Amino acid sequence: MSPREAKKRVTRKKKDPNAPKRSLSAYMFFASDTRESVRSENPDITFGQIGKVLGEKWKALNEEDRLPYQAKADADKKRYESEKEMYQATNV
């Protein structure tokens, strides 16, 4: 058997476009709020470097400063779970 014949291609199952979107984490809410300020402070920064700066800022936040983002994440998680239950009930 040649190396080219060794692996078969696996086709992935298509995602349902009607399925609910996953909930965002507290970090993602923080990143979306602060991304523009990081870009304005550093106009020549690359996309990867923006992620590093945002990660450093997130790590520097204390628990009290993270609370509003955690509250948004919790609310979004409840939204996702309710939409997921409705979706599963209709697609049984």
Side-chain angles (χ1 to χ4, degrees):
M1 192 184 287
S2 70
R4 292 181 185 228
E5 294 177 292
K7 289 189 176 182
K8 287 188 174 185
R9 293 205 175 231
V10 177
T11 58
R12 295 177 106 183
K13 184 178 170 185
K14 295 281 183 182
K15 278 186 123 179
D16 185 0
N18 298 325
K21 303 294 181 203
R22 292 292 308 249
S23 59
L24 295 177
S25 66
Y27 170 75
M28 292 306 295
F29 282 109
F30 167 78
S32 66
D33 284 349
T34 56
R35 183 172 284 117
E36 287 303 318
S37 66
V38 170
R39 279 191 193 153
S40 64
E41 293 169 3
N42 308 300
D44 56 341
I45 198 168
T46 64
F47 180 79
Q49 291 170 333
I50 290 173
K52 288 180 182 179
V53 171
L54 288 171
E56 290 169 3
K57 286 187 173 198
W58 177 251
K59 287 179 185 177
L61 286 180
N62 59 21
E63 289 297 319
E64 188 176 308
D65 293 335
R66 290 184 185 191
L67 281 177
Y69 302 111
Q70 189 61 45
K72 287 181 185 180
D74 292 341
D76 197 35
K77 186 174 182 178
K78 287 179 185 175
R79 176 217 39 100
Y80 171 71
E81 289 172 354
S82 66
E83 287 180 6
K84 183 179 170 186
E85 286 177 11
M86 289 176 25
Y87 174 75
Q88 288 176 339
T90 58
N91 291 349
V92 172

Short mmCIF file of all heavy atoms in Angstrom, two decimals, residues 36-78:
data_model
loop_
_atom_site.label_atom_id
_atom_site.label_comp_id
_atom_site.label_asym_id
_atom_site.label_seq_id
_atom_site.Cartn_x
_atom_site.Cartn_y
_atom_site.Cartn_z
N GLU A 36 -10.83 48.12 20.41
CA GLU A 36 -10.66 49.39 19.71
C GLU A 36 -9.70 50.32 20.44
O GLU A 36 -8.93 51.04 19.81
CB GLU A 36 -12.02 50.07 19.51
CG GLU A 36 -12.87 49.41 18.46
CD GLU A 36 -12.19 49.33 17.10
OE1 GLU A 36 -11.54 50.31 16.68
OE2 GLU A 36 -12.30 48.26 16.47
N SER A 37 -9.73 50.32 21.76
CA SER A 37 -8.81 51.19 22.50
C SER A 37 -7.37 50.71 22.33
O SER A 37 -6.45 51.52 22.25
CB SER A 37 -9.19 51.26 23.97
OG SER A 37 -9.02 50.02 24.59
N VAL A 38 -7.18 49.40 22.26
CA VAL A 38 -5.82 48.87 22.04
C VAL A 38 -5.34 49.25 20.65
O VAL A 38 -4.18 49.66 20.47
CB VAL A 38 -5.81 47.33 22.23
CG1 VAL A 38 -4.49 46.74 21.76
CG2 VAL A 38 -6.06 46.98 23.67
N ARG A 39 -6.21 49.20 19.66
CA ARG A 39 -5.83 49.59 18.30
C ARG A 39 -5.49 51.08 18.22
O ARG A 39 -4.56 51.47 17.53
CB ARG A 39 -6.97 49.30 17.32
CG ARG A 39 -7.03 47.89 16.89
CD ARG A 39 -8.00 47.75 15.74
NE ARG A 39 -8.31 46.35 15.52
CZ ARG A 39 -9.43 45.92 15.00
NH1 ARG A 39 -10.37 46.76 14.65
NH2 ARG A 39 -9.61 44.64 14.80
N SER A 40 -6.28 51.91 18.92
CA SER A 40 -6.00 53.35 18.86
C SER A 40 -4.71 53.71 19.59
O SER A 40 -4.00 54.62 19.18
CB SER A 40 -7.18 54.14 19.43
OG SER A 40 -7.35 53.85 20.80
N GLU A 41 -4.38 52.98 20.67
CA GLU A 41 -3.13 53.22 21.38
C GLU A 41 -1.92 52.76 20.57
O GLU A 41 -0.85 53.34 20.66
CB GLU A 41 -3.13 52.49 22.73
CG GLU A 41 -4.13 53.03 23.72
CD GLU A 41 -4.29 52.12 24.94
OE1 GLU A 41 -3.57 51.10 25.03
OE2 GLU A 41 -5.14 52.44 25.78
N ASN A 42 -2.10 51.69 19.79
CA ASN A 42 -1.01 51.09 19.00
C ASN A 42 -1.48 50.92 17.56
O ASN A 42 -1.88 49.83 17.17
CB ASN A 42 -0.62 49.73 19.57
CG ASN A 42 -0.33 49.78 21.05
OD1 ASN A 42 0.55 50.50 21.48
ND2 ASN A 42 -1.10 49.04 21.83
N PRO A 43 -1.42 51.97 16.74
CA PRO A 43 -1.98 51.88 15.39
C PRO A 43 -1.23 50.92 14.45
O PRO A 43 -1.82 50.39 13.52
CB PRO A 43 -1.89 53.31 14.86
CG PRO A 43 -0.90 53.99 15.72
CD PRO A 43 -0.91 53.29 17.04
N ASP A 44 0.04 50.65 14.70
CA ASP A 44 0.80 49.78 13.81
C ASP A 44 0.94 48.35 14.32
O ASP A 44 1.75 47.58 13.82
CB ASP A 44 2.19 50.37 13.57
CG ASP A 44 2.96 50.60 14.87
OD1 ASP A 44 2.31 50.64 15.93
OD2 ASP A 44 4.19 50.74 14.82
N ILE A 45 0.12 47.97 15.28
CA ILE A 45 0.18 46.64 15.89
C ILE A 45 -0.49 45.62 14.97
O ILE A 45 -1.46 45.93 14.26
CB ILE A 45 -0.48 46.69 17.28
CG1 ILE A 45 -0.08 45.50 18.13
CG2 ILE A 45 -1.98 46.78 17.17
CD1 ILE A 45 -0.48 45.65 19.58
N THR A 46 0.03 44.38 14.95
CA THR A 46 -0.55 43.34 14.11
C THR A 46 -1.69 42.65 14.86
O THR A 46 -1.87 42.83 16.06
CB THR A 46 0.51 42.28 13.74
OG1 THR A 46 0.94 41.62 14.92
CG2 THR A 46 1.69 42.90 13.01
N PHE A 47 -2.42 41.82 14.12
CA PHE A 47 -3.57 41.12 14.68
C PHE A 47 -3.16 40.22 15.84
O PHE A 47 -3.80 40.20 16.89
CB PHE A 47 -4.27 40.30 13.59
CG PHE A 47 -5.47 39.56 14.06
CD1 PHE A 47 -6.67 40.21 14.23
CD2 PHE A 47 -5.39 38.20 14.33
CE1 PHE A 47 -7.79 39.52 14.67
CE2 PHE A 47 -6.51 37.51 14.77
CZ PHE A 47 -7.70 38.17 14.93
N GLY A 48 -2.09 39.46 15.67
CA GLY A 48 -1.62 38.58 16.73
C GLY A 48 -1.17 39.32 17.96
O GLY A 48 -1.37 38.87 19.09
N GLN A 49 -0.53 40.46 17.75
CA GLN A 49 -0.07 41.25 18.88
C GLN A 49 -1.24 41.86 19.66
O GLN A 49 -1.15 42.03 20.87
CB GLN A 49 0.88 42.35 18.40
CG GLN A 49 2.20 41.81 17.89
CD GLN A 49 3.03 42.88 17.20
OE1 GLN A 49 2.50 43.85 16.66
NE2 GLN A 49 4.35 42.68 17.20
N ILE A 50 -2.32 42.17 18.96
CA ILE A 50 -3.52 42.68 19.64
C ILE A 50 -4.02 41.63 20.63
O ILE A 50 -4.36 41.94 21.77
CB ILE A 50 -4.62 43.06 18.64
CG1 ILE A 50 -4.23 44.31 17.86
CG2 ILE A 50 -5.95 43.29 19.34
CD1 ILE A 50 -5.17 44.65 16.74
N GLY A 51 -4.04 40.38 20.20
CA GLY A 51 -4.48 39.30 21.07
C GLY A 51 -3.59 39.15 22.29
O GLY A 51 -4.07 38.92 23.40
N LYS A 52 -2.29 39.31 22.11
CA LYS A 52 -1.37 39.22 23.24
C LYS A 52 -1.60 40.35 24.23
O LYS A 52 -1.61 40.13 25.45
CB LYS A 52 0.08 39.25 22.75
CG LYS A 52 0.50 37.99 22.06
CD LYS A 52 1.94 38.08 21.61
CE LYS A 52 2.33 36.82 20.87
NZ LYS A 52 3.72 36.86 20.39
N VAL A 53 -1.79 41.57 23.73
CA VAL A 53 -2.02 42.72 24.61
C VAL A 53 -3.33 42.54 25.37
O VAL A 53 -3.41 42.80 26.58
CB VAL A 53 -2.02 44.04 23.80
CG1 VAL A 53 -2.48 45.20 24.64
CG2 VAL A 53 -0.63 44.30 23.23
N LEU A 54 -4.37 42.08 24.67
CA LEU A 54 -5.65 41.86 25.33
C LEU A 54 -5.53 40.78 26.40
O LEU A 54 -6.11 40.92 27.49
CB LEU A 54 -6.72 41.47 24.31
CG LEU A 54 -7.21 42.58 23.39
CD1 LEU A 54 -8.09 42.01 22.30
CD2 LEU A 54 -7.93 43.65 24.17
N GLY A 55 -4.79 39.73 26.12
CA GLY A 55 -4.59 38.67 27.11
C GLY A 55 -3.86 39.18 28.34
O GLY A 55 -4.22 38.83 29.47
N GLU A 56 -2.86 40.02 28.14
CA GLU A 56 -2.13 40.58 29.27
C GLU A 56 -3.02 41.48 30.11
O GLU A 56 -2.97 41.46 31.35
CB GLU A 56 -0.91 41.35 28.77
CG GLU A 56 0.18 40.47 28.19
CD GLU A 56 1.25 41.26 27.46
OE1 GLU A 56 1.19 42.51 27.45
OE2 GLU A 56 2.16 40.62 26.90
N LYS A 57 -3.85 42.28 29.43
CA LYS A 57 -4.76 43.16 30.16
C LYS A 57 -5.79 42.35 30.95
O LYS A 57 -6.15 42.71 32.06
CB LYS A 57 -5.47 44.13 29.21
CG LYS A 57 -4.57 45.24 28.71
CD LYS A 57 -5.37 46.26 27.92
CE LYS A 57 -4.49 47.44 27.56
NZ LYS A 57 -5.27 48.60 27.19
N TRP A 58 -6.27 41.25 30.35
CA TRP A 58 -7.25 40.40 31.03
C TRP A 58 -6.64 39.77 32.28
O TRP A 58 -7.26 39.72 33.32
CB TRP A 58 -7.76 39.34 30.07
CG TRP A 58 -8.72 38.38 30.70
CD1 TRP A 58 -8.50 37.08 31.00
CD2 TRP A 58 -10.07 38.64 31.11
NE1 TRP A 58 -9.61 36.50 31.55
CE2 TRP A 58 -10.59 37.44 31.64
CE3 TRP A 58 -10.89 39.76 31.07
CZ2 TRP A 58 -11.89 37.35 32.12
CZ3 TRP A 58 -12.18 39.66 31.55
CH2 TRP A 58 -12.66 38.47 32.08
N LYS A 59 -5.41 39.31 32.17
CA LYS A 59 -4.74 38.70 33.31
C LYS A 59 -4.49 39.72 34.42
O LYS A 59 -4.48 39.37 35.60
CB LYS A 59 -3.41 38.07 32.89
CG LYS A 59 -3.57 36.81 32.10
CD LYS A 59 -2.23 36.26 31.70
CE LYS A 59 -2.40 35.04 30.81
NZ LYS A 59 -1.10 34.55 30.33
N ALA A 60 -4.30 40.99 34.04
CA ALA A 60 -4.02 42.04 35.03
C ALA A 60 -5.28 42.48 35.77
O ALA A 60 -5.17 43.11 36.84
CB ALA A 60 -3.37 43.23 34.35
N LEU A 61 -6.47 42.19 35.24
CA LEU A 61 -7.71 42.60 35.90
C LEU A 61 -7.92 41.78 37.17
O LEU A 61 -7.67 40.58 37.21
CB LEU A 61 -8.92 42.38 34.99
CG LEU A 61 -9.12 43.33 33.83
CD1 LEU A 61 -10.37 42.93 33.06
CD2 LEU A 61 -9.25 44.75 34.29
N ASN A 62 -8.43 42.46 38.21
CA ASN A 62 -8.77 41.72 39.42
C ASN A 62 -10.21 41.21 39.30
O ASN A 62 -10.93 41.53 38.36
CB ASN A 62 -8.57 42.58 40.68
CG ASN A 62 -9.40 43.84 40.66
OD1 ASN A 62 -10.39 43.94 39.95
ND2 ASN A 62 -9.01 44.82 41.44
N GLU A 63 -10.64 40.43 40.27
CA GLU A 63 -11.97 39.81 40.21
C GLU A 63 -13.09 40.84 40.16
O GLU A 63 -14.09 40.65 39.48
CB GLU A 63 -12.17 38.88 41.41
CG GLU A 63 -11.35 37.61 41.35
CD GLU A 63 -11.74 36.75 40.16
OE1 GLU A 63 -12.94 36.62 39.87
OE2 GLU A 63 -10.82 36.22 39.52
N GLU A 64 -12.92 41.94 40.86
CA GLU A 64 -13.96 42.98 40.89
C GLU A 64 -14.14 43.62 39.51
O GLU A 64 -15.27 43.91 39.10
CB GLU A 64 -13.57 44.04 41.91
CG GLU A 64 -14.66 45.06 42.18
CD GLU A 64 -14.26 46.03 43.28
OE1 GLU A 64 -13.88 45.55 44.36
OE2 GLU A 64 -14.34 47.24 43.03
N ASP A 65 -13.03 43.83 38.79
CA ASP A 65 -13.12 44.42 37.45
C ASP A 65 -13.67 43.43 36.43
O ASP A 65 -14.20 43.83 35.39
CB ASP A 65 -11.74 44.91 37.00
CG ASP A 65 -11.25 46.08 37.84
OD1 ASP A 65 -12.10 46.80 38.42
OD2 ASP A 65 -10.02 46.29 37.91
N ARG A 66 -13.55 42.14 36.71
CA ARG A 66 -14.05 41.12 35.79
C ARG A 66 -15.54 40.86 35.96
O ARG A 66 -16.17 40.25 35.09
CB ARG A 66 -13.31 39.80 36.00
CG ARG A 66 -11.88 39.83 35.54
CD ARG A 66 -11.25 38.48 35.69
NE ARG A 66 -9.83 38.53 35.36
CZ ARG A 66 -9.07 37.46 35.19
NH1 ARG A 66 -9.59 36.26 35.36
NH2 ARG A 66 -7.81 37.58 34.89
N LEU A 67 -16.12 41.30 37.06
CA LEU A 67 -17.53 40.99 37.36
C LEU A 67 -18.51 41.39 36.25
O LEU A 67 -19.39 40.60 35.91
CB LEU A 67 -17.94 41.60 38.68
CG LEU A 67 -17.49 40.85 39.94
CD1 LEU A 67 -17.92 41.61 41.19
CD2 LEU A 67 -18.04 39.45 39.96
N PRO A 68 -18.42 42.61 35.68
CA PRO A 68 -19.40 42.95 34.64
C PRO A 68 -19.32 42.02 33.42
O PRO A 68 -20.34 41.66 32.84
CB PRO A 68 -19.04 44.38 34.24
CG PRO A 68 -17.99 44.84 35.16
CD PRO A 68 -17.53 43.71 35.98
N TYR A 69 -18.10 41.62 33.06
CA TYR A 69 -17.94 40.72 31.92
C TYR A 69 -18.43 39.32 32.26
O TYR A 69 -19.01 38.64 31.41
CB TYR A 69 -16.47 40.69 31.49
CG TYR A 69 -15.95 42.06 31.12
CD1 TYR A 69 -15.01 42.69 31.91
CD2 TYR A 69 -16.43 42.72 30.00
CE1 TYR A 69 -14.54 43.96 31.59
CE2 TYR A 69 -15.98 43.98 29.67
CZ TYR A 69 -15.04 44.60 30.47
OH TYR A 69 -14.58 45.84 30.14
N GLN A 70 -18.23 38.89 33.50
CA GLN A 70 -18.71 37.59 33.93
C GLN A 70 -20.24 37.57 33.94
O GLN A 70 -20.86 36.57 33.58
CB GLN A 70 -18.16 37.22 35.31
CG GLN A 70 -18.43 35.81 35.72
CD GLN A 70 -17.82 34.79 34.78
OE1 GLN A 70 -16.67 34.92 34.38
NE2 GLN A 70 -18.59 33.80 34.40
N ALA A 71 -20.85 38.69 34.34
CA ALA A 71 -22.31 38.77 34.34
C ALA A 71 -22.85 38.68 32.92
O ALA A 71 -23.86 37.99 32.67
CB ALA A 71 -22.75 40.08 34.99
N LYS A 72 -22.19 39.34 31.97
CA LYS A 72 -22.60 39.24 30.56
C LYS A 72 -22.47 37.80 30.06
O LYS A 72 -23.33 37.31 29.33
CB LYS A 72 -21.76 40.16 29.68
CG LYS A 72 -22.06 41.63 29.84
CD LYS A 72 -21.17 42.44 28.90
CE LYS A 72 -21.33 43.91 29.09
NZ LYS A 72 -20.46 44.68 28.18
N ALA A 73 -21.38 37.15 30.44
CA ALA A 73 -21.15 35.77 30.01
C ALA A 73 -22.20 34.84 30.59
O ALA A 73 -22.69 33.94 29.90
CB ALA A 73 -19.75 35.32 30.42
N ASP A 74 -22.57 35.04 31.85
CA ASP A 74 -23.59 34.21 32.47
C ASP A 74 -24.94 34.39 31.79
O ASP A 74 -25.67 33.43 31.56
CB ASP A 74 -23.71 34.52 33.97
CG ASP A 74 -22.47 34.09 34.75
OD1 ASP A 74 -21.69 33.25 34.24
OD2 ASP A 74 -22.28 34.61 35.87
N ALA A 75 -25.27 35.64 31.46
CA ALA A 75 -26.53 35.92 30.78
C ALA A 75 -26.53 35.28 29.38
O ALA A 75 -27.54 34.72 28.94
CB ALA A 75 -26.77 37.42 30.68
N ASP A 76 -25.40 35.35 28.70
CA ASP A 76 -25.31 34.78 27.37
C ASP A 76 -25.38 33.26 27.43
O ASP A 76 -25.94 32.61 26.55
CB ASP A 76 -24.01 35.23 26.69
CG ASP A 76 -24.05 35.02 25.19
OD1 ASP A 76 -25.13 35.18 24.59
OD2 ASP A 76 -22.99 34.70 24.61
N LYS A 77 -24.85 32.67 28.49
CA LYS A 77 -24.90 31.21 28.65
C LYS A 77 -26.34 30.76 28.86
O LYS A 77 -26.78 29.75 28.30
CB LYS A 77 -24.03 30.77 29.83
CG LYS A 77 -23.94 29.29 29.98
CD LYS A 77 -22.95 28.90 31.06
CE LYS A 77 -22.82 27.41 31.16
NZ LYS A 77 -21.84 27.00 32.16
N LYS A 78 -27.11 31.54 29.66
CA LYS A 78 -28.52 31.21 29.87
C LYS A 78 -29.29 31.31 28.55
O LYS A 78 -30.15 30.48 28.25
CB LYS A 78 -29.13 32.13 30.91
CG LYS A 78 -28.66 31.83 32.31
CD LYS A 78 -29.27 32.78 33.31
CE LYS A 78 -28.70 32.53 34.70
NZ LYS A 78 -29.18 33.50 35.67
#
